Amino acid sequence: MNYLFDTQALTDYLQDHKIPAFRAKQIQQAIFKEGILDIDQITTLSKDLRDQLSQDFVINDFTLKEKVEWPETTKFLFELADGKIIETVLMYHRHVRPEYEDEIKQRKILRSWTNHDISPKTHKLNRITICISSQVWCAVGCIFCVTGKLGFKKNLPRQEILLQILYANNYIQGKFGKKEDGTWNRVRNVVFMGMGEPMLNYDEMVTSIEYMKDQRALWLSKRHITISTSGVADKIRQLIDDKVDVRLALSLHAPNQELRKELIPMIAKRRDIDELMETIDYYTSSTGNRLFYEYIMIRDKTDTVEIWHQLGKLLKHRNAHVNLIPYNENPAMPNLETSEYDQILKFKKTVESHGVTVTVRDTLGRDVQWACWQLGYEVIMKQRIEDMEAENEAVDSDK
Ligand code: SAH
Ligand code: SF4
């Protein structure tokens, strides 16, 4: 089955069936701009044409297995048409309305304010970010990552990458409706920070980005699209050479080769940290973009005094923005613990003393994320065990 939002498939079909080309525009408008996920709801097309298209195309073939809502986040667990599972997360960024600023500040001081008090009355929705998956799980196998523990199943085709955003836009319309200016609320920022290593699914990632930027499709700003990578140096180079002009976040996690090899074995073994940093310098000099460095805080592993200074020296002259991520503890990795909060603050101060910008992912967000990781872990492990059992049974019955 083809996806109706796949430009090539649609154009070929219209030509083959002698349907006027302007229909493509109407269809793209309905899917990308109006958030329609059901062919029968594209009422700018005749009923006959809708029926005809439904024979050969789908828009959405995801099954929503689970949805978890927090005030600031919605997490979707999708089952793909082939039965595999991915996660997509929406994050809502809100501003406190000026008339409530004092009240909320006061309640925060008194600690009577909680995340659950967020309401449209006191907070205005500012922007929505989506965290998308690029692969069904991941081959890189970082020692702190649940997705890595699950191993690799497949690369997502561009359609399944994009459908995460289309699904989200449809959902956002239902949840938030229109903005005060009369246009639909929709995803504004996309980050490739869900499951998988996007650079190891390079071609599909790049094509999906073309749709994200295309005026006829999602029409997002290049500044609002971020690829997060564990450091696949040759692909970072290719990204620059192919002029895929979007933001880049590097999951560095370690300032020296030895520690990187321990944390991110597959990638660090392929290319050492010196070569990676040379590539990063090539990226910043070619694009002029500032790089985001993700740095995970694992107790006694990535947060020691010696390492503070190493990281500071490594990034000193590199126009860097470091984001310290408190490690999300998980029963799959019983040997790893989150750094003490005090230690994180000391770490921050020292790296800053080298002239580097450092932020810490806040603890409120962390609680939300932590819960979210736990949930994914449990549901996915269950699925994986079921898969394994089914596979074992198939092997057994072959015997
Ligand atoms: N593969 C890409 C993008 C997906 S991972 C990458 O590694 O960059 C997205 C982010 O989640 C990465 O920065 C990763 O380091 C982080 N992450 C993975 N497991 C984590 C955990 N247990 N606690 C905190 N952050 C984690
Ligand atoms: Fe997880 Fe990213 Fe490492 Fe893959 S590369 S195992 S997704 S942190």
Side-chain angles (χ1 to χ4, degrees), residues 20-64:
F22 75 88
R23 295 287 178 205
K25 261 196 188 156
Q26 289 179 316
I27 291 168
Q28 283 175 325
Q29 168 77 20
I31 300 174
F32 288 113
K33 316 286 187 200
E34 286 157 32
I36 292 175
L37 287 180
D38 178 354
I39 296 179
D40 208 40
Q41 284 175 13
I42 310 180
T43 48
T44 44
L45 307 178
S46 69
K47 176 80 178 119
D48 283 352
L49 183 53
R50 281 181 268 156
D51 288 346
Q52 184 187 342
L53 290 170
S54 302
Q55 307 277 317
D56 294 288
F57 289 97
V58 286
I59 302 176
N60 171 31
D61 62 359
F62 285 180
T63 308
L64 184 63

Side-chain angles (χ1 to χ4, degrees), residues 84-101:
K84 296 184 173 61
I85 298 279
I86 56 164
E87 287 176 6
T88 305
V89 179
L90 282 177
M91 289 166 276
Y92 313 117
H93 306 269
R94 294 178 164 98
H95 277 330
V96 178
R97 292 185 190 273
E99 60 271 33
Y100 287 95
E101 262 170 21

Side-chain angles (χ1 to χ4, degrees), residues 355-366:
V356 177
T357 310
V358 185
T359 46
V360 181
R361 199 174 276 176
D362 68 26
T363 47
L364 210 61
R366 197 182 126 209

